[in-house]
Structure formats: C-alpha cells, structure tokens
Amino acid sequence: MRWVAATIAYDGTNFFGYQSQCGVRTVQDELEKSLEIIFKEKIPTYGCGRTDTGVHAIGQVVSFYVPNDNMTEKNVKDALNAMLPEDIYVREIKQVEANFNPRAQATKRIYFYLIYVDKEPDIFLRNRVWWVPFALDIKKMREAARYFEGEHDFTTFRAGNDERNPIRTVYRVRILNYRKNFICIRIEGKSFLRRMIRNMVSALVKVGTGTWEPERIKIILEARQRSLAPGSAPAQGLYFYSALF
Amino acid sequence: MRWVAATIAYDGTNFFGYQSQCGVRTVQDELEKSLEIIFKEKIPTYGCGRTDTGVHAIGQVVSFYVPNDNMTEKNVKDALNAMLPEDIYVREIKQVEANFNPRAQATKRIYFYLIYVDKEPDIFLRNRVWWVPFALDIKKMREAARYFEGEHDFTTFRAGNDERNPIRTVYRVRILNYRKNFICIRIEGKSFLRRMIRNMVSALVKVGTGTWEPERIKIILEARQRSLAPGSAPAQGLYFYSALF
C-alpha cells in the first residue's frame, strides 16, 4: 500500500462543487466511485480546495492510498481516466508520503478568474467566463488589487456562512489582459475564505467600470463589514489553477 | 409585415441538429417556439444549413417574417435573445426581401473544423474540438486538401442516406495552424452533401498522421465509393461559420 496525489482537472458546470454531498453530483463522489470500482474497496480521498458549484479546476490536488502495489502511477491514472465521467480528467499521479493531506499541507493556492469583455456574449464561453458587456479600466483594477495583497481581516469579503478566522494572507493579485477581450485575474494565497475570491473579483470589476474608486477597496476591507462588498462574481469564471506544498 | 434574416450562433452539444424533428430538441423548434411567444402566432422559419446533432454554428442564417411593424430589427433581436435558451444567440437581424430563402439563395457556405492536437485531452474543449493525440503533418494535409477543390462527384464522401446529386463544388480548403495545438480546417463551397465535411476531415487526418499518402484522396474521390472513406470526424469539431448570398 502506498499514497499518491492526483492532479485533477474538472469542468464544474454540472457539479454541485468538489466536496461530497448527499444526493447531488460532486467531484469527490465521482472520484471515490471510480476508485471503488477499480480497487474493489472504499478508498477515502483528501482534496486540496473545496470548490463551489460551477467552479472549475485545472489543478485540484487529491490524495488517497493505492491498495494494489502491482499498479504503477501511470496504471492508476489510466484506470481512473477510463472510469471517470467526461468532465473530470486526471492529469498526473505521483507518489507522496503516507497520509499526505493536500488541504492541510498546501503552502500556496493559485486561482484564476476569467472575464470576457465584449458588447455581445459568446455562447461557447457561457460556462467558462464572466461576460462583462462594458470596457474595464485595467490600470485602476491593478491599483485596487494592491490593497488585497498582504495579511488582512477579510470579513468584508467572506461568505455569510464562513465562521472561520477571517485573517488571510493574499500573496499576489495579478490582472492580465490578453487576446483583446479576456481579462484574467490571478490570485495567490495560502488559503481563502468561502466566496472570498469571487467577492474580491466583483469588487475589482466595480473599480474597472468606474463605479468605485480604487481606494474604496481599502476602505471596505478595513471596515470588516460584509454588507459593504458587492454580490459575488459568478462561479463559472473561477478556476482552481494549482497548489504548492 | 416584413421579412428579416437572423444570423444565429448556437452550441450544438445539446441539440439533435438544426432542423425540426418530432420529440427531440432542435434549434429550429426552439427558435419557432420563441417567435410564437413573441408574436403570438406561428411563424415559419427558413434556415441556411441543416447542421447535424452536435454540430455548432457561429453564423447560421435563418429567415422569417415579422408580423409586427412596430418592432425594429433591434427589438426583434433583443426579444429573441431574452426568450431563447442559453445555447442559442441571435447575433444580428436585418431586413431582407420577401420570401428570402437562405437555403436556396446561398452562393457560398463556410465551415470550420477544429482539431486539438495534444498528448492529453483538455476537458474544457471536449464539446468544441476533435482531440487528436498525435502530431499531424500540416504540409501533407495541405497537399491532400487541394484534391478536394473544384467540382467533383463526392459520392465517396457523402452519408449513406444522402440520395441527392453527388456533384459539388468546393471553392477552397484552408488548413490553419494556430496557438501550437489547434488546427482549423476551413472549407468553402456552394453547398455540401450530408456528412461530407466530416468525412473529408477524417480523410485529411489520415493523411496528417501519415497513414495515407496525400494522393490517396484523389484516388478514392475518383473511385466514387463510400466504403473507401474513413468514418466521419466527430460532430463537435464542426462549425457552420457563415453564408454569403
């Protein structure tokens, strides 16, 4: 018996998030179902990030033990990809130390948020981006983004049902503009509160449209009051990109 | 009362093709359902190309009459987009002469076929491209593509159930390579037989992988025998790009 970590991509559109939940389709349940078929026993899995309904992953990390020592990492990858539904794909499997827990051990998580800026929507991107039909001022958004960096109390930007310690450290927020219509907000941190990234993104878009001045981010962050943040940016633009350990 | 032509994009994934069919979801039925709600009468529509199940459109053209003279083209566009499901989008509506029939009057149709070349699949593209996990020789594909151009009997490349005159004129086949992993085959012609483009594409891929020499295209085309063509390329890579009149 040995432990492995799988790097997994999924299209979150048809999942009720990553984490197991009774009666709805989740990524974790699909993974565990496939593992049970392959190894003929229940194998518990440990994911790195609990992405919400509709949120995607390019590099979710999930650890579990492999009871069958005859199978190489490549064999486990191929077996899983043969069993898994078409909206989950195992990109890599590598051996890790016993009881490796990606959630507890991650030192950095990187998320992407994709915005599509155009007067008209692109139906082929409807589950992949947040469509914003007006120009965004990238320079102002970059100015605003700096206020998020560092250690702060993110009470203003968390979800109402997240009761954990609201102090989080955001290492870096980068705003990239590519192929004319796409804005990618890349956010790095050790860990995030529920809805925190989507709430940060919607605030940045308020700045981008000119509704808010960049300094407003600093003010509402310091106020530690949830009611001051705008509604969350839609789930379909968010991607769990990778985790470092 | 006046006639208009709508330019329509749709994601073909969840449609049983463009054309109305009893008991299944089609693009035409969704359009006519929305028109009936807006105008409170049944409005027949005339499409340009009968795309198959899973095939997409960026610029399908559909004509119909507008019984309500108080509505501008913009009003009709907005009303339709408000009513239509999220996988159909009306990009433009403009006035045309009475009884304009896009199917009969098109002088040119342009299709795109998208291939994604990489060792690993990209789940986010699974309904948008044909994933081919080995390198393709673009130069040889271009050489082969030339044999399709001009007027030919396309019996070898048509679907078994297409009983129409098999003579068709292909104006141009372009093979474009962009962003490293993408190959786009752009095919222009006056009209096409059923499955003809997907059968042409799968033959070009046979050439690209080195299984066939480019000249084989000329030989099987001249043989006019369906059994000589490979199976059709998958529907999800095909896009009805535009039509000229």
Side-chain angles (χ1 to χ4, degrees):
Chain A
M1 186 179 108
R2 69 195 190 284
W3 280 73
V4 296
T7 305
I8 290 172
Y10 48 83
D11 172 353
T13 311
N14 299 318
F15 289 108
F16 284 82
Y18 176 77
Q19 199 182 9
S20 267
Q21 264 188 76
C22 224
V24 294
R25 186 173 186 256
T26 69
V27 179
Q28 188 180 1
D29 287 331
E30 290 290 346
L31 270 174
E32 295 186 353
K33 239 192 282 173
S34 295
L35 286 169
E36 190 174 349
I37 295 170
I38 295 167
F39 296 114
K40 291 166 188 71
E41 66 177 81
K42 277 204 188 298
I43 312 259
T45 62
Y46 304 91
C48 183
R50 295 180 183 164
T51 57
D52 285 333
T53 298
V55 173
H56 314 293
I58 292 170
Q60 171 76 278
V61 179
V62 183
S63 69
F64 52 90
Y65 66 81
V66 174
N68 179 343
D69 280 331
N70 298 325
M71 284 176 88
T72 64
E73 278 74 25
K74 176 77 165 67
N75 294 154
V76 176
K77 175 185 163 175
D78 292 346
L80 272 170
N81 283 328
M83 296 305 311
L84 284 167
E86 60 167 16
D87 44 4
I88 309 182
Y89 184 74
V90 177
R91 295 172 53 207
E92 195 188 15
I93 292 203
K94 51 186 181 186
Q95 208 177 326
V96 289
E97 80 264 15
N99 301 307
F100 176 70
N101 185 335
R103 190 170 162 82
Q105 289 170 247
T107 55
K108 192 196 260 190
R109 288 171 171 86
I110 305 174
Y111 281 86
F112 274 172
Y113 194 96
L114 269 186
I115 297 172
Y116 178 72
V117 180
D118 199 53
K119 263 182 256 159
E120 304 274 316
D122 180 333
I123 50 156
F124 296 103
L125 299 174
R126 70 189 184 287
N127 297 320
R128 306 276 178 261
V129 299
W130 181 13
W131 168 50
V132 173
F134 18 73
L136 298 178
D137 186 328
I138 306 271
K139 256 183 77 178
K140 288 207 165 167
M141 289 170 75
R142 285 184 179 141
E143 219 181 301
R146 283 206 312 266
Y147 296 114
F148 286 127
E149 295 179 345
E151 188 183 274
H152 301 284
D153 179 328
F154 280 94
T155 297
T156 304
F157 292 91
R158 71 175 168 183
N161 56 356
D162 196 336
E163 299 285 307
R164 295 173 290 163
N165 177 355
I167 311 287
R168 289 291 184 273
T169 302
V170 170
Y171 299 137
R172 206 151 88 137
V173 182
R174 278 295 176 91
I175 300 177
L176 310 155
N177 189 196
Y178 64 100
R179 289 209 290 135
K180 213 180 85 200
N181 295 113
F182 291 89
I183 293 173
C184 175
I185 303 178
R186 181 190 159 107
I187 299 178
E188 301 180 12
K190 187 176 183 305
S191 66
F192 299 93
L193 298 162
R194 279 205 66 199
R195 293 274 185 134
M196 177 174 153
I197 296 178
R198 287 161 59 194
N199 292 342
M200 287 164 64
V201 166
S202 61
L204 290 173
V205 166
K206 285 261 183 212
V207 172
T209 59
T211 312
W212 286 6
E213 282 308 308
E215 295 70 32
R216 175 96 170 245
I217 300 297
K218 186 177 149 68
I219 295 165
I220 66 171
L221 187 59
E222 286 174 356
R224 283 174 285 167
Q225 230 183 290
R226 279 194 53 248
S227 61
L228 295 173
S232 305
Q236 79 268 13
L238 186 58
Y239 296 76
F240 184 153
Y241 179 64
S242 69
L244 274 68
F245 301 94
Chain B
M1 185 179 109
R2 69 196 190 285
W3 281 72
V4 296
T7 306
I8 289 172
Y10 49 82
D11 172 353
T13 311
N14 299 317
F15 290 108
F16 284 83
Y18 176 77
Q19 199 182 10
S20 268
Q21 265 187 76
C22 223
V24 294
R25 186 173 185 255
T26 68
V27 178
Q28 187 179 1
D29 287 331
E30 289 291 345
L31 271 174
E32 295 186 355
K33 239 193 280 172
S34 294
L35 286 169
E36 189 174 348
I37 294 169
I38 295 166
F39 296 115
K40 292 166 188 69
E41 65 178 82
K42 278 204 188 298
I43 312 260
T45 61
Y46 305 92
C48 184
R50 294 179 183 165
T51 57
D52 286 332
T53 299
V55 173
H56 314 293
I58 293 170
Q60 170 77 278
V61 179
V62 182
S63 69
F64 53 89
Y65 67 81
V66 174
N68 179 342
D69 282 331
N70 297 325
M71 285 176 87
T72 64
E73 277 75 24
K74 177 75 165 66
N75 295 152
V76 176
K77 175 184 163 177
D78 292 345
L80 272 171
N81 283 329
M83 296 305 311
L84 284 167
E86 59 167 17
D87 45 3
I88 308 181
Y89 185 74
V90 177
R91 296 173 51 206
E92 195 189 15
I93 292 203
K94 51 185 181 187
Q95 210 178 325
V96 289
E97 79 263 17
N99 300 307
F100 176 70
N101 184 336
R103 190 170 162 79
Q105 287 170 248
T107 55
K108 192 196 261 192
R109 288 172 171 85
I110 305 175
Y111 281 86
F112 273 171
Y113 194 96
L114 269 187
I115 297 172
Y116 178 71
V117 180
D118 200 51
K119 262 181 255 157
E120 302 275 315
D122 181 333
I123 50 156
F124 296 103
L125 298 174
R126 69 189 185 287
N127 296 319
R128 306 277 178 260
V129 299
W130 181 13
W131 168 49
V132 173
F134 18 74
L136 297 178
D137 185 329
I138 306 271
K139 256 182 78 178
K140 286 206 167 167
M141 288 171 77
R142 284 186 179 139
E143 218 181 300
R146 283 208 311 268
Y147 296 115
F148 286 127
E149 295 180 344
E151 188 183 275
H152 301 284
D153 179 327
F154 280 94
T155 297
T156 304
F157 292 92
R158 72 174 166 184
N161 57 356
D162 195 334
E163 300 285 309
R164 293 173 290 162
N165 177 354
I167 310 289
R168 287 292 183 274
T169 302
V170 169
Y171 299 137
R172 207 152 89 134
V173 182
R174 278 296 175 92
I175 300 177
L176 310 156
N177 190 196
Y178 64 100
R179 289 208 293 135
K180 214 181 88 199
N181 296 114
F182 291 90
I183 292 173
C184 174
I185 302 178
R186 180 191 160 107
I187 299 179
E188 303 181 12
K190 187 176 185 302
S191 67
F192 298 93
L193 298 162
R194 281 205 64 200
R195 293 273 185 134
M196 177 173 153
I197 295 177
R198 287 161 59 194
N199 292 343
M200 287 164 66
V201 166
S202 61
L204 290 173
V205 167
K206 285 259 183 212
V207 172
T209 58
T211 312
W212 286 7
E213 282 307 307
E215 295 70 32
R216 175 95 169 246
I217 300 296
K218 186 177 149 70
I219 294 163
I220 67 170
L221 187 60
E222 285 172 358
R224 282 175 286 166
Q225 232 182 291
R226 281 194 52 248
S227 61
L228 296 174
S232 306
Q236 78 269 14
L238 185 58
Y239 296 76
F240 183 151
Y241 179 65
S242 71
L244 273 68
F245 301 94

